[in-house]
Amino acid sequence: MTESFEPVIVGFLCNWCSYRAADLAGTARIHYAPNMRPIRVMCSGRVDPQFVLKALREGADGVMIAGCHPGECHYVNGNIKTLRRYHLLKRMLKQLGVEEERVQLVWASASEGKQLAEAVDRMTEQLRALGPLRWPERVLGEDGRGANGHEAFVSAIEPREEVAA
Amino acid sequence: MNALTRASRASPQTFMQEVVAATPGGDTHLELCLQCGTCGGSCPSGRDMEHTPRQLFAMIAAGMRDEVLKSNTPWYCVSCYYCMVRCPQEIHITDIMYTLKRMAIKEGYYQESTAADAPDFSETFIDFVENYGRSFELGLATRYHLKHHPLSAIKMAGFGLGMLARGRMDLRPTKIQNIDQLQAILTKAKELSNGSFEPGGAS
Amino acid sequence: MNHKPMEEARIGVYVCHCGTNIAKTVDVAEVARWVGEQENVVVARDYKFMCSSLGQDLIESDIKERGLTRIVVAACSPHMHEKTFRGACQRAGLNPYMFEMANIREHDSWATDDRAAATQKAKALVEGAVRRVAHHTPLEPLPVEINPNTLVVGGGIAGITTALELANAGYHVYLVEREPSIGGHMAQLDKTFPTLDCSACILTPKMVEVGQHPNITLLSYSEVEKVEGYIGNFTITVRKKARYINEELCTGCGICEEKCPKRVVDHVFEAGLGYRKVVYRPFPQAVPKYPVIDRENCTYFLRGKCRACQIFCPTKAIDFEQEDEIITFQVGNIVLATGYDLFDARRIPQYGYGRLANVFTSMEFERMVNAAGPTGGKIVLRDGVTEPKSVAIIHCVGSRDKNYHEYCSKVCCMYSLKFAHLVHERLPDAEVYNFYIDIRAPGKGYEEFYHRLLHEGTHFIRGRVAEVTDAARQPGEEGKLIVQVEDTLIGKQRRIPVDMVILSAGLEARHDSREVSQLFKMGCDFDGFFVERHPKLDPVATMTEGIFIAGCAQGPKDIPDTVAQGAAAAARVAGLIHLGTVMMEPVRAYIHEELCSGCRICNTLCPYNAIVFHEDRQVSEVITALCQGCGTCVAACPSGVISGAHFTNEQIMSQIEGVLWDVRRNGNGKQPTVNIQQSTANVQQPTVNEP
Amino acid sequence: MKYGYYPGCSLEKNARAYHESALVVAKRLGIEFEETPDWNCCGATEYFAINALAGYALVGRNLALAARQKLNGQGNQLVAPCSACFLNLSKTDHYMAESPELAEKVNSALAAGGLSYEPGSVRVRHLLDVIVDDIGYMTVAEQVRKPLYGLRVAPYYGCLVVRPDYQHIHDEPEYPLCMDGLLKVLGAEVVDYPVKTHCCGGHMTQISEETALEMIRRLLKSAADYRADVIVTLCPMCQLNLDAYQEQVNKHFGADYHIPVLYFTQLMGLAFGASPKEVGIGKEFVDARPALAKIQEEPPQNAKQKRSRPPKGALPMPSMLSHHKGGGQ
Amino acid sequence: MSVNGKPKLAMYWAAACGGCEISVLNIGEHILTVDEVFDLAFFPCIADFKTVDVRGYPDGYIDVCLFNGAIRNSENEEMARLLRKKSKILVAYGSCAYEGCIPALANLTSKEATLETVFLNNPTIDNPDRVLPQPAYSVPEGELEIPEFYHTVKALDQVVDVDYYIPGCPPEPHQVWAVLQVVVAALLDGAPLPPKGSIVGAGDVAVCEECPLEKREKTITRFYRPYEITPQPGLCLLEQGLVCLGPATRSGCGALCPQVGMGCRGCYGPLPGVEDQGAKMLSAIASVIDAGEAGMEEAELDRVIEEAVATIPDPAGTFYRFSMAHSILRRANDSQSDKV
Ligand SMILES: Cc1cc2nc3c(=O)[nH]c(=O)nc-3n(C[C@H](O)[C@H](O)[C@H](O)COP(=O)(O)OP(=O)(O)OC[C@H]3O[C@@H](n4cnc5c(N)ncnc54)[C@H](O)[C@@H]3O)c2cc1C
Ligand SMILES: Cc1cc2nc3c(=O)[nH]c(=O)nc-3n(C[C@H](O)[C@H](O)[C@H](O)COP(=O)(O)OP(=O)(O)OC[C@H]3O[C@@H](n4cnc5c(N)ncnc54)[C@H](O)[C@@H]3O)c2cc1C
Ligand code: SF4
Ligand code: SF4
Ligand code: SF4
Ligand code: SF4
Ligand code: SF4
Ligand code: SF4
Ligand code: SF4
Ligand code: SF4
């Protein structure tokens, strides 16, 4: 856990609220940690838990899912489904030894640029304290060049052609 | 991280930043003063202050260090917190008054203020607390008044007798059992306070 | 584990400087150089203003000359210029959906000062877009027909303006108003600043026009209960509350009101300063003209006796059996003009409202000075007779105060000046004190009005009032209200004894604005005002297509601004109706039926019921016309057989890989595959003007 | 319910009447107190003026000791009857929670004495709040044996219990009503005078007597204007200033105030049937006995009717209590 | 192909339960055909071969090797590499070899904890000296080497290149037979082989497709463990609150488990286009939990949802029962591991 460790956060931001909140934060020149890298989705309900795992597996130190407050979803209640998935996912990630702070669900409506910025700052702070995740090296012990069958693993999770016998 | 707050906590350069850094607790918001005057209007002793709290803040913003620390204003603050709860910018005014008192004492300014003996009152009070763990009104009254208001001390003597007669004053101070522990804590606190929250300390 | 695109993608990447907006913080040249080395990137350039016509030309010519098949622009938010660049692609013959934008301005350069970190982040965002765009497929936007009818909610001056503009353009409007009459706050006002025209005189003709317009269906005393559907085709359910008056029989003669034996304080129209009967019209010029029976206070409803109104009604229009009516209809667009609530001055007890009799709110004062109001226009104390000899007007009550509302309410300075003028006019001998923090008079003729008040001899005291009290300290204060303030220009505390205090309360969002915004599925800001699509460039549209806002529902404003917004919203709606169809983003879900197992997980998830299950074939299907593309079902299908156009798993997974280029294992050190275009654009092009 | 109890220096000395009456009342109401062992002075309004960190550490020691008490097996509640103590304890807890930097420093100081304090682990309560909120008016009413009929009481809250209200006790710090309600339950007639949260002058008596006496005069004048028989306080400092300096105010301003100043617990005790001595009556400078003699056997007849109808033609008066929501077009 | 013209068949078990060999034998009378068509080159379960025999074979000597079992220790890995070298076609046979299966559930914990449970802290264990397996151990006869116990259990293709996959725990006999037929046709008649990397012996639609139980719109308020309720016959189990991975699992088994009232555990692995079976099933299940609605207070909302999802006590074990080794995260994070 070096002093200079800067966590990388992948943010899944809903097009209608949190993405615009991030736009607003920028427009208002609210400065916050540059550690979150946003990916736009149409609704937080689009966030497939696979995306979260993928981001962690690819080296992110944390994942932020952001959507409108319950009751304000552009698509009525997509965020409620997100919330349900998030709670179950959180339980599962706990079993997988991923600290709770690493995957966070944040509500930020389009006007809450400040709140979103604060959430990013807060999460960045928390991850700095936790230290890097670096799943491939630290958990899987991969050196990055196909040792331990890494490459085989890579090909195995590629979509495969399949044949019914 | 936020640029808005960063200005206030970083190593102090301006007088304003210095005051903010020396004020513990959450965000003091001092830099947000609108000069609306709610504080000055609300202050019960505002009538007798040389500068209203608002004026003091304008002077702080203008970097008028000497004038601010010489002012009797902080010493006339009675900690009523009216200004603080009414301030539309949620400025921690009362806490800032305490900070200014500390600064004035540390830099010896208070002797020039019209409330020159006020710090002595506080210091005498504290002296008893540090030695006994409890305050001691009789001792405080005698020591402070004899020193500063020998004339009124006579008047106060009547007051003191009234207190004694009503069983409202003890002749001897009470000492807490674990006075060593308290003293160790206070000594350590004073040592640490050279770090921050005190005038001149870096944050 | 790269997700490989189907065919070889030829990608062009354009990194925008946005003048210095981006370039100041992000090393744009370096980003362009670096991305030029990435897989599939054929051209990478940085350029001053990508959205300028020259910037767009650059994309077009590269597509044509270098055979680009996919475009990435790293610039501002897609909400700003996605349309612009899709247009450029289209003009060059490329399907506009083969484009992706990386937001390195709002999300990056404006959010930090750290140049190294910002540049690193920019690379991540650009690489995410590059990986993603490789998986884009050509799409066609979906046309949606627009129902030409419009719903306007709220019949204040904003709603009235919108309704009339549309109706006069020949389109049908349903105007839903909660109160028994339209008119809103403007109907309560006496004179309007700065010209001092009589509010009722300019408003009533418009109200009458609404009432009579063949293109307007006025649903007063009604509330919207349900909103379904989407732009072009909303289904609206309205509850028309029972008035207990048969509108077909009622002539509006007012005899019932006259005969009703019971009066109650009118907290709505008279702002608590006057009384009304239990069967009432809020004011004589009410539109529609029919009265309503206030069920909560009606003696008949409470005790089963009375019926005075019924007995005396000449046309037998009173109907105690009437029930609420539920009405449904279809509209293509919605305008919300629900206005504001006045800040409740009781929340600041030190100003004494509710405790000290002669402290009034601004709206009470409007009613007091109104010739049709409870005092017939006389300015008097609470006892109803005494004329005040001195009046204090306190600005910023509930506004510019973090304990209540941080924002400035924009109109109260001006109406406070108006009040001062009215006091001078009616009580020439009275002293008037205005207590202010700043006088905000930035409108046409507003500052001049302020000067007029200075001439009239108003005392302006700069200082926010600390408290209003009846605790006298000095003999001159006995029996008076004392306004305690720091006169900040003098720097001293002052106590001004007066007879009457008027609290210039601010405007706040409707108490139910959050529920209303949820009903219509659009956003509210922190203070409860509806959020506009863009604060400068799109102030009457919302994030939700087909829903517009106007007037004080969007934020505090005066009547001229309100009217301008009302008309602007009407123009936006008229434009859509005129087009007849809108093109919607083809972001839709699609179920690969041959792979669907019919597990029915997805069936209940769609908020628009767009997913149907075919019992015969045991498979599910998305009805494209209903789907709005949220992607919830896509994320849920355990078999992974629903794909969400333009937000496919491959696209997002690749983007994840891209944004993590620097921390991924194997993510680094791509061999440069193609030629590098290094900051050439700057050199080649002459100076460019601001877009 | 068991509470930690922090009497503070005043209650041991000049405010003994408060202490004694509080214990009488607590016993009747089934409140159990366990005094925080070996507590020290809270620093009043003085310590922060000399050294802020030491001031917080001074209070921090009390909090740390209270946190150790572990009453009721749950979060400790610490009752401080003195306003200044109450404020200093809750302020220290609040600022330590708000500023991790401060918390860390205070804790390093405490560590020198082998102590530590986790912000939030003690809930600081004022006695009035405990009686009104935890016990409730109903239970108090049940204990009333000798109602205070006919006694006109000016409830005086002063500053530090209502402001800055770190504990969020009051619906409305500018216009608190909880003690008014309590006194009404005792049968007293409560005057709604406008200065009930104004400042008593605090330590200004020691620094600028002129300033202090004027502050005290304002309070006495308003109470007198409203024909109060007694002023009721909840703070030793307020009691002392209004009581012991009344004579000086009279001299200085040529006035003639004779308004006894009692603690609310003293009146509660009396209403509960305790003897004046038990609740410390007689320790005050301005003798309370003449005022207390006004207490009647029967509730005054005119109490209800006094609410005269507004004159005809008068405008309706807004009510402070019924916040009319949703009104206005 | 060998001298007698018969293709050489091998079958080997690594970290596995043995069910897979049984499944091959279970193809009934077809086993005779197998015997007829193939020459056994290595099949420790039914014939006496030694590793040295295999080492002696030239590379590519074996035509088809059915490798079952996961890679748990160094011996498993060594055998995988050996058989890869000696085989033309290497098939990951059964869920363990395909995706880690039950052995890979050990990835939810650490090597140390696993050894501890197996050798030390277990009611049936008497190990007062707390002896743990050592890679090397001296006995009077000399130095003994036993295989190294890995930290992470892997699927076969995570250590060697794999040609085909046959999922199932164990694979269903009729599917096994169908696969063998394809291979035989290719080897003997030159028919085309499926493309490398294919998953054979399974469908590409979910188990639900084959499941005869009636599906309705799903609204589930809580989940039950199988012993807690008796499912109503004829009705989809998932709807009744029994976790069934059918929707996220490849068909091929004929929906064996649901048919007998036991929710599908997911042994045929994820569907095409799905990278992570567990995450997908989690997403599906959480989406249809009928807990919490938009109007609620946020804290209340969290509470009711927490409560509902808590009825699935072991989500990782449930959703990754078979696919842990192939899941996106592959194993749990336990920082003190030696990462082998
Ligand atoms: C004391 C005072 C004095 C003022 N004086 C001036 C002045 O002199 N000059 C000037 O330019 N401006 C003045 N203003 C400002 C002016 O009142 C506003 O600019 C204007 O009234 C705003 O109109 P609106 O239509 O947006 O809102 P409103 O007037 O509030 O109208 C909103 C309407 O929507 C209805 N409604 C609300 N919610 C619903 C719902 N859910 N369903 C159906 N209907 C609903 C309401 O009943 C109301 O009829 C003054 C304001 C105040 C407080
Ligand atoms: C220094 C400064 C800073 C500002 N900053 C902000 C800000 O930060 N935010 C903000 O909201 N507002 C700001 N403003 C205000 C903003 O500039 C105006 O609100 C806005 O530009 C007005 O736009 P317009 O179209 O009405 O007029 P203009 O921008 O003046 O456009 C009028 C156009 O008409 C053309 N034209 C004029 N006469 C004729 C003719 N007879 N025939 C043909 N064409 C003609 C002109 O050439 C011009 O192109 C600022 C203003 C100034 C001066
Ligand atoms: S009340 Fe607050 S904002 Fe106003 S002058 Fe005082 S400190 Fe400044
Ligand atoms: S806290 Fe001090 S400065 Fe503020 S109003 Fe009270 S006495 Fe005045
Ligand atoms: S506004 Fe124009 S110049 Fe600025 S970033 Fe967007 S495209 Fe570039
Ligand atoms: S308009 Fe004037 S009175 Fe109203 S909030 Fe703004 S500054 Fe205050
Ligand atoms: S993406 Fe799916 S859930 Fe969302 S609207 Fe379309 S069909 Fe419905
Ligand atoms: S969830 Fe997927 S597999 Fe199941 S019914 Fe829907 S589309 Fe078909
Ligand atoms: S029981 Fe399982 S396999 Fe059968 S339909 Fe239900 S979910 Fe699908
Ligand atoms: S139902 Fe599921 S667990 Fe059972 S055999 Fe089939 S795939 Fe395996």
Side-chain angles (χ1 to χ4, degrees), chain D residues 89-308:
Chain D
L89 290 164
S90 51
K91 175 173 170 163
T92 303
D93 180 52
H94 181 82
Y95 278 179
M96 279 176 78
E98 223 176 57
S99 158
E101 192 188 349
L102 178 66
E104 191 205 302
K105 296 217 150 141
V106 171
N107 270 316
S108 343
L110 290 178
L115 295 173
S116 74
Y117 179 68
E118 164 80 18
S121 56
V122 168
R123 188 171 159 219
V124 182
R125 307 287 305 270
H126 189 267
L127 182 60
L128 175 65
D129 175 38
V130 167
I131 291 175
V132 172
D133 229 52
D134 296 8
I135 306 296
Y137 292 145
M138 293 306 282
T139 314
V140 172
E142 283 163 16
Q143 292 298 324
V144 174
R145 303 280 179 276
K146 290 187 176 165
L148 309 176
Y149 295 141
L151 191 67
R152 285 178 66 83
V153 185
Y156 177 56
Y157 296 81
C159 305
L160 303 180
V161 170
V162 282
R163 284 186 305 275
D165 197 20
Y166 293 123
Q167 308 284 336
H168 302 292
I169 304 172
H170 303 279
D171 296 340
E172 190 37 79
E174 291 272 2
Y175 190 63
L177 287 169
C178 51
M179 186 158 61
D180 298 43
L182 184 66
L183 294 168
K184 280 182 193 155
V185 168
L186 304 181
E189 204 179 311
V190 177
V191 303
D192 186 13
Y193 71 132
V195 296
K196 60 184 175 185
T197 60
H198 281 214
C199 179
C200 72
H203 72 182
M204 281 314 275
T205 50
Q206 308 303 307
I207 288 164
S208 166
E209 205 176 70
E210 178 78 28
T211 309
L213 292 180
E214 164 63 15
M215 286 194 229
I216 297 169
R217 180 189 76 92
R218 292 170 193 168
L219 299 173
L220 293 172
K221 176 174 191 308
S222 189
D225 285 352
Y226 277 77
R227 294 181 295 112
D229 297 323
V230 293
I231 294 174
V232 171
T233 72
L234 34 67
C235 167
M237 175 66 100
C238 298
Q239 200 280 338
L240 187 72
N241 281 0
L242 290 180
D243 183 26
Y245 287 89
Q246 211 169 104
E247 205 185 305
Q248 238 167 296
V249 167
N250 286 339
K251 254 190 230 152
H252 192 92
F253 295 99
D256 187 23
Y257 299 121
H258 288 285
I259 310 176
V261 186
L262 297 176
Y263 295 103
F264 75 102
T265 44
Q266 289 180 289
L267 284 192
M268 286 182 81
L270 290 177
F272 289 179
S275 73
K277 192 164 179 300
E278 270 178 280
V279 296
I281 304 278
K283 288 190 175 14
E284 65 284 350
F285 282 75
V286 179
D287 192 356
R289 274 162 298 193
L292 295 178
K294 290 191 186 167
I295 296 173
Q296 296 158 14
E297 293 288 316
E298 291 295 311
Q301 288 306 322
N302 58 352
K304 271 274 164 304
Q305 297 157 358
K306 264 213 12 246
R307 229 155 253 247
S308 57

Side-chain angles (χ1 to χ4, degrees), chain C residues 20 87 129 141 205 286 294 423 577 592 635 642-643:
Chain C
T20 56
D294 162 10
V423 178
I577 300 173
H592 300 268
I642 312 184
S643 50

Side-chain angles (χ1 to χ4, degrees), chain C residues 311-362:
Chain C
I311 295 161
F312 287 100
C313 175
T315 60
K316 305 255 167 297
I318 308 278
D319 175 6
F320 288 112
E321 308 302 313
Q322 208 175 54
E323 280 179 9
D324 292 0
E325 219 180 308
I326 303 293
I327 301 167
T328 48
F329 50 87
Q330 314 268 313
V331 296
N333 291 283
I334 298 173
V335 179
L336 297 177
T338 50
Y340 65 93
D341 279 340
L342 195 71
F343 173 79
D344 184 347
R346 272 172 283 234
R347 289 175 62 197
I348 311 187
Q350 61 266 39
Y351 288 170
Y353 184 68
R355 219 157 23 92
L356 304 173
N358 292 319
V359 177
F360 294 84
T361 65
S362 49

Side-chain angles (χ1 to χ4, degrees), chain B residues 38-46 49 52-53 57 73-74 76-85 93-95 97-98 101, chain C residues 493, chain D residues 159 163 199 204 215:
Chain B
T38 310
C39 47
S42 301
C43 183
S45 38
M49 287 172 166
T52 64
F57 299 155
T73 299
Y76 271 61
C77 168
V78 281
S79 307
C80 75
Y81 290 85
Y82 250 127
C83 52
M84 185 154 148
V85 296
I93 300 171
T94 316
D95 291 325
M97 292 298 169
Y98 279 119
K101 291 184 205 186
Chain C
Q493 255 184 24
Chain D
C159 305
R163 284 186 305 275
C199 179
M204 281 314 275
M215 286 194 229

